[in-house]
Amino acid sequence: MQALFAALPILLVVILMAGFNWPAKRVMPLGWLLAVLLAAFVWKMPLQWLAGATVSGALDAFNILIIVFGAILLMNTLKHSGAIRAIKATFYNISPDRRVQAIIIAGLFGFFIEGAAGFGTPAALAGPLLVSLGFPPLAAAMLALVGNSMPVSFGAVGTPILGGAAKVLNSPSVLEALNTYGWTFDTFVHQLGVYTAIIHTAVGTFLPLLIVMILTKLFGEKKSFKDAFAIAPFALFAGLSFSVPYMLIAFFIGPELPSLLGALIALGITITAAKKGFLLPKAVWDFPARKNWGSSWVGTVEPGELKDETPQMKPVLAWLPYILVALILVVTRVPALGIKQLLTNPAVTIAWQGILGTKLAYSLQPLYLPGTVPFILVAVLTIFMHKMDKKTVQNTWSSSFKQMGPATIALVFAVAMVAIMRNSGNNASGSMDMLKALSTAAAAALSSVWVFVAPFIGILGAFMAGSNTVSNILFSSFQYEVATSAEISRVITVALQVVGGAIGNMICVHNVVAASTTVGVLGQEGKIIRINLVPAALYAILAGIVGWLLMTVFVPGLF
C-alpha cells in the first residue's frame, strides 16, 4: 500500500503529460502538491522538512535554469547576429550524395548543436537545413530527431548528468554509501559519465548508418536498405570519428564536453573525408523525382525554399563563439591546469548549510557553472565580435528571458517534487522515504530484468517531459534505489536511465512538434512518433544488453 501511495505523484505526471498531453508547466506544480500532501498526511513529514525540501529543490533548479538560460541566450545571439546562417552555408557544397548530407547534418551537426545548446535545439536547426538542401520535410524532421539521441546525455555541456542526475542524487544516504565504497561524489558523477559514454558508444556508433537506413528505406526510389549498406563504411567511419573522441573525453575530462568537442572533431574529420571521396561509393544517391514523392512528405514549406546563400559573415567568425565555448570548457575542466580549483574555491562559492534548520544544503559556483562561464560570457563577447547593434542585443536578451517562463515553472516544481519524495524519510511515522518504498516494490517484482527495464524508464521520462534533464530529475533517484534493492550496479543502472532519457528525444512530443513546425509538416507528429519508435526501442534494447554485459562480465561488483 505504501508503494502505491509513493507512486501517485509520478503516476499523476505520467497520466496528465502522456495521456492528456498537458504541458510540464501545468503538470509539475500538481505533482509537487500531491507529493507534499502525501508526505504530510501519510508519511507524517514535519513542516520544517516539507519547507526545507521544497526550498532546496527550487534552489537546485535555479542552478539548472542558469545553464538553460545561458544555452538559449548564446543560440539566440548567434541567430540574431547572422552566425547561424553563415554556419549553415558551410554545409551546402560538401557532397551531392543525400546519404552523406544526412550523416553530416542530421548526425554530426545535430550532435554538435546538442552539445552546445541542448533542449531540442538540434532538430529545430538541422531539420530546416536539410529542407533547404532539397530533402522532403518529413524526412528532414524524422532524421533530425533520430540523430538527436546519442549526444543528448551530454547536451548543453553535460546538463542531463550535472544538472539532472547529480542534483537529485547528491543526498546524505548516497554520500554515505559512496564513502563506504571508497568514492567521493565527484568520482561517482565522473564514473556515471564514463559508463553513459560507454553504453552510447557501443550502440550509437551505428547511429549514422541507422539514419541512412531510414532515409533509403522510407524515402528512396527503391525503398531498400541496400542503398544504405552501400555507404556503410563511410557511415561507420563517421560514427567512429565521433564516438571515439566522445568516449575518451568522457573518461579523461568529464561530462561537459563529450558531445560538443567530440562532434567538433568529427565534423572536421568527416567533412574533409567526404570532400575527398574517402570510403564513398561511386554511385551518388538521390531522392526520386519530385512528382513521385509521397503526399505526406511535404507540407507548407517547399524543399529548397529555406536556402539562403548570402551569409552575413565569414564562416570562421561565425564558428568562433562555439570554438571559444569548447576552449574555455577544456581549460576550466582539466584539473591539471589549476583553473578549476580557482573557480570552485570556497571563497567564490555561494553556500547555504542547514536549509531552514534541516540537514539539507545548497551551493552555487557562479564562475564554474557552464551557464555563466562560458555561455553567458561568450554571448556577451559575441556582441562585440559580431558587431551587433543595441536594438538587436535588447531583442535577443528579451526573447531569451521570455523563453525561460515555461521551463522555469516546470523545473522548479519537478526538482522540488523529487526533493520531497527523497526526503520524506525524515518523518514521525518511521516509514522509509517514498522513493525507497517505490523502488523496493519495483525491485521485488522486476529485479532480475531491471537492467533491461531501466532504459525504457528513461525514455518514458523524456517522452513525458521532453527533456533528458527532467527525465533524470524524475527517475534517477528511483533507478538508484531499485539498483540498491536489487543489488546490481547503481552506476550502470543510473547510466542506463541517462541513456534512455537521451533516446526518448527521438519520440518526445515536444521535440516532434518543434521539428515538424520548423519544416512545415505540422500534423504528421503521430506518423513520426510511430516510425521513430522502432529505432528508439532498438537502441534501448541494445543499451540494456550492453548494461547487462558490463554488470555481469566486464565490471561485476561496480558500485
Side-chain angles (χ1 to χ4, degrees):
M1 181 58 73
Q2 196 176 54
L4 180 61
F5 278 125
L8 288 178
I10 292 175
L11 285 174
L12 179 71
V13 171
V14 172
I15 291 168
L16 292 180
M17 292 186 72
F20 291 87
N21 203 26
W22 282 26
K25 67 178 181 179
R26 287 177 64 190
V27 175
M28 292 307 175
L30 294 176
W32 167 80
L33 180 60
L34 181 55
V36 168
L37 293 173
L38 289 167
F41 295 107
V42 179
W43 269 260
K44 311 295 183 185
M45 190 177 176
L47 180 62
Q48 183 182 31
W49 272 94
L50 282 168
T54 298
V55 171
S56 172
L59 289 171
D60 285 339
F62 175 71
N63 289 19
I64 303 167
L65 287 164
I66 293 174
I67 302 172
V68 176
F69 174 73
I72 289 172
L73 177 66
L74 180 59
M75 178 58 63
N76 285 342
T77 301
L78 295 175
K79 279 183 182 177
H80 293 159
S81 76
I84 292 296
R85 189 188 306 172
I87 287 170
K88 288 180 177 180
T90 62
F91 293 104
Y92 285 134
N93 299 311
I94 294 169
S95 170
D97 194 309
R98 301 300 191 178
R99 297 167 297 185
V100 176
Q101 293 171 359
I103 288 169
I104 291 174
I105 296 169
L108 302 180
F109 177 62
F111 295 178
F112 174 76
I113 295 298
E114 177 61 41
F119 302 99
T121 309
L125 278 178
L129 177 53
L130 288 170
V131 173
S132 74
L133 290 172
F135 276 62
L138 184 65
M142 205 172 287
L143 299 179
L145 286 162
V146 171
N148 192 29
S149 50
M150 182 181 179
V152 175
S153 293
F154 302 101
V157 293
T159 301
I161 290 177
L162 299 175
K167 280 295 177 190
V168 296
L169 287 173
N170 191 1
S171 68
S173 62
V174 175
L175 295 175
E176 184 180 343
L178 286 167
N179 186 53
T180 302
Y181 188 76
W183 278 4
T184 64
F185 188 71
D186 286 345
T187 303
F188 170 70
V189 173
H190 184 82
Q191 290 299 311
L192 176 58
V194 168
Y195 283 97
T196 297
I198 288 171
I199 296 167
H200 268 312
T201 297
V203 183
T205 297
F206 299 92
L207 195 57
L209 178 58
L210 181 61
I211 287 170
V212 176
M213 289 172 68
I214 294 169
L215 177 68
T216 61
K217 179 66 175 176
L218 297 180
F219 300 96
E221 191 168 3
K222 298 177 183 177
K223 298 288 192 292
S224 168
F225 289 131
K226 188 176 179 181
D227 289 325
F229 295 143
I231 202 170
F234 180 82
L236 293 174
F237 170 76
L240 286 168
S241 72
F242 172 71
S243 63
V244 171
Y246 171 91
M247 188 164 66
L248 291 174
I249 292 163
F251 186 84
F252 288 107
I253 298 178
E256 293 99 339
L257 284 169
S259 294
L260 178 97
L261 200 51
L264 198 59
I265 292 167
L267 279 169
I269 294 171
T270 310
I271 289 173
T272 302
K275 286 185 174 180
K276 292 182 180 295
F278 180 67
L279 294 177
L280 293 181
K282 291 181 180 179
V284 173
W285 187 89
D286 204 345
F287 298 106
R290 177 69 173 80
K291 62 181 180 181
N292 296 325
W293 286 13
S295 59
S296 64
W297 291 15
V298 180
T300 57
V301 177
E302 188 64 27
E305 279 186 3
L306 299 177
K307 187 171 182 178
D308 187 340
E309 299 192 57
T310 56
Q312 294 181 347
M313 63 184 69
K314 293 180 179 179
V316 173
L317 186 59
W319 281 95
L320 186 57
Y322 282 137
I323 294 169
L324 279 176
V325 166
L327 287 174
I328 290 170
L329 285 168
V330 170
V331 168
T332 56
R333 265 57 184 176
V334 177
L337 298 177
I339 296 175
K340 177 179 179 179
Q341 291 85 328
L342 292 174
L343 301 182
T344 58
N345 192 288
V348 290
T349 298
I350 299 168
W352 184 4
Q353 301 293 330
I355 296 172
L356 301 183
T358 66
K359 296 177 183 177
L360 298 169
Y362 166 75
S363 68
L364 170 64
Q365 296 171 324
L367 300 180
Y368 191 69
L369 199 68
T372 48
V373 180
F375 282 161
I376 294 176
L377 173 62
V378 172
V380 172
L381 292 175
T382 300
I383 295 170
F384 302 100
M385 290 190 295
H386 292 178
K387 298 177 181 177
M388 297 172 68
D389 62 73
K390 185 177 179 180
K391 186 175 180 180
T392 303
V393 173
Q394 287 176 340
N395 289 338
T396 299
W397 282 72
S398 175
S399 63
S400 299
F401 275 115
K402 285 177 182 177
Q403 284 177 254
M404 290 298 296
T408 300
I409 296 168
L411 278 169
V412 165
F413 284 100
V415 183
M417 182 186 87
V418 174
I420 292 285
M421 294 178 73
R422 170 164 278 286
N423 289 288
S424 57
N426 297 284
N427 58 57
S429 66
S431 303
M432 66 177 74
D433 67 60
M434 293 185 198
L435 287 170
K436 282 185 180 175
L438 187 56
S439 59
T440 301
L446 298 166
S447 61
S448 60
V449 293
W450 192 260
V451 67
F452 302 104
V453 175
F456 287 95
I457 298 294
I459 289 176
L460 174 65
F463 178 78
M464 287 168 16
S467 164
N468 193 356
T469 301
V470 176
S471 178
N472 292 346
I473 289 168
L474 289 173
F475 292 122
S476 288
S477 293
F478 170 65
Q479 298 264 25
Y480 175 92
E481 297 296 349
V482 172
T484 303
S485 299
E487 297 183 344
I488 58 177
S489 171
R490 287 159 281 192
V491 171
I492 295 172
T493 303
V494 178
L496 287 168
Q497 156 64 36
V498 177
V499 169
I503 298 167
N505 276 256
M506 292 188 195
I507 57 170
C508 75
V509 176
H510 299 61
N511 284 3
V512 172
V513 170
S516 301
T517 303
T518 56
V519 299
V521 289
L522 202 61
Q524 297 291 333
E525 296 89 349
K527 183 173 185 176
I528 292 171
I529 290 173
R530 286 195 303 274
I531 293 172
N532 283 5
L533 267 171
V534 177
L538 178 63
Y539 202 130
I541 291 166
L542 292 173
I545 293 170
V546 174
W548 177 79
L549 288 171
L550 286 169
M551 287 186 194
T552 57
V553 178
F554 295 103
V555 283
L558 181 70
F559 179 85

